[in-house]
Amino acid sequence: MVELKMFSRKKNSQASVFSDMANKQKRYEVLVLALHTDIFRYACWLVKNKTVAEDIVQETFLRAWKSLDSLKDEKAAKSWLITILRRENARRFERKQFDLVDIDDVSVIDDQLSNEVEMEHKELRAIMASLSEEYREPLMLQIVFGYSGDEIAQQLNLNKNTVMTRLFRARNQVKEALDKANDNRGLKNG
């Protein structure tokens, strides 16, 4: 008689587990059906390659399945999936191992650039390097890496408004320094 009671308890707990799994499966299917197209469209825009976008979306939904219990608010599902997708895209680059070369050891000669243009580029790099770090860093992230204000804010753990203000001030400082250099150049030549 004792064995029957233990067996029936197991059966009830198994039924509960199966019920929970069925509910999770239904939630997941509804999530995929409702948002797959939008997530795939965003992935295509993000990576500019349909095949890579398909892979990232597949990984995104796999991670979503694994952590579906952490999604408490169904209204936030789209932003939750987009966050997962962006992280999956970032992981793609973490896995890549690029061959790095010290920039000082590389000599690149572009015959198209005149000496004047080369001097202007050197002057611009020097001006940007002379900016304080709080202005130089967001400016470099925007110019060199093409990051948006939101991405820079996330990268530097700053408020977006702070980033936009720093970018504005950095561009103004660079412009003022270039204007001053042009005025000085005119005095020397004239």
Side-chain angles (χ1 to χ4, degrees):
M1 192 74 153
V2 173
E3 290 178 14
L4 287 175
K5 285 184 180 178
M6 288 178 65
F7 182 71
S8 67
R9 280 190 215 144
K10 282 186 179 179
K11 202 171 193 179
N12 287 340
S13 66
Q14 285 178 341
S16 173
V17 169
F18 288 131
S19 173
D20 290 345
M21 285 297 289
N23 287 340
K24 183 177 179 179
Q25 181 71 28
K26 286 179 186 174
R27 279 182 70 203
Y28 180 73
E29 288 175 4
V30 168
L31 183 75
V32 172
L33 287 173
L35 298 173
H36 183 273
T37 305
D38 291 340
I39 298 301
F40 180 69
R41 188 178 312 121
Y42 179 73
C44 286
W45 173 82
L46 186 65
V47 299
K48 311 284 190 267
N49 183 322
K50 184 179 178 184
T51 308
V52 174
E54 289 170 349
D55 291 342
I56 292 174
V57 169
Q58 185 175 4
E59 288 296 320
T60 299
F61 280 106
L62 176 63
R63 286 197 186 268
W65 168 257
K66 290 177 181 178
S67 60
L68 189 59
D69 296 331
S70 69
L71 178 64
K72 303 297 182 206
D73 183 10
E74 301 296 326
K75 293 176 185 170
K78 190 172 186 177
S79 61
W80 180 67
L81 286 171
I82 287 174
T83 300
I84 294 172
L85 183 121
R86 289 177 55 222
R87 289 180 180 154
E88 280 304 311
N89 186 44
R91 279 187 193 91
R92 189 169 62 106
F93 294 104
E94 288 173 359
R95 291 185 288 254
K96 277 190 178 179
Q97 297 296 320
F98 294 104
D99 294 331
L100 301 176
V101 178
D102 189 5
I103 193 76
D104 296 330
D105 296 340
V106 178
S107 175
V108 179
I109 299 173
D110 186 2
D111 295 334
Q112 300 294 328
L113 290 178
S114 68
N115 285 339
E116 184 177 323
V117 172
E118 192 173 319
M119 291 298 289
E120 287 175 1
H121 286 184
K122 188 181 280 188
E123 184 178 15
L124 182 60
R125 283 192 296 268
I127 290 170
M128 290 176 67
S130 71
L131 293 174
S132 67
E133 186 175 343
E134 69 176 332
Y135 297 125
R136 181 179 60 242
E137 195 169 16
L139 187 62
M140 294 303 283
L141 287 172
Q142 185 182 50
I143 292 173
V144 176
F145 297 107
Y147 285 172
S148 69
D150 289 327
E151 292 169 326
I152 295 169
Q154 186 178 16
Q155 201 74 345
L156 299 177
N157 293 325
L158 295 171
N159 181 315
K160 181 184 175 190
N161 292 335
T162 303
V163 168
M164 299 311 286
T165 300
R166 288 182 182 182
L167 286 170
F168 176 78
R169 289 177 181 169
R171 286 190 295 267
N172 280 345
Q173 287 179 13
V174 169
K175 183 180 181 292
E176 287 172 7
L178 286 174
D179 289 345
K180 186 176 179 181
N182 284 337
D183 291 344
N184 289 340
R185 197 175 298 120
L187 291 175
K188 290 178 184 175
N189 291 335

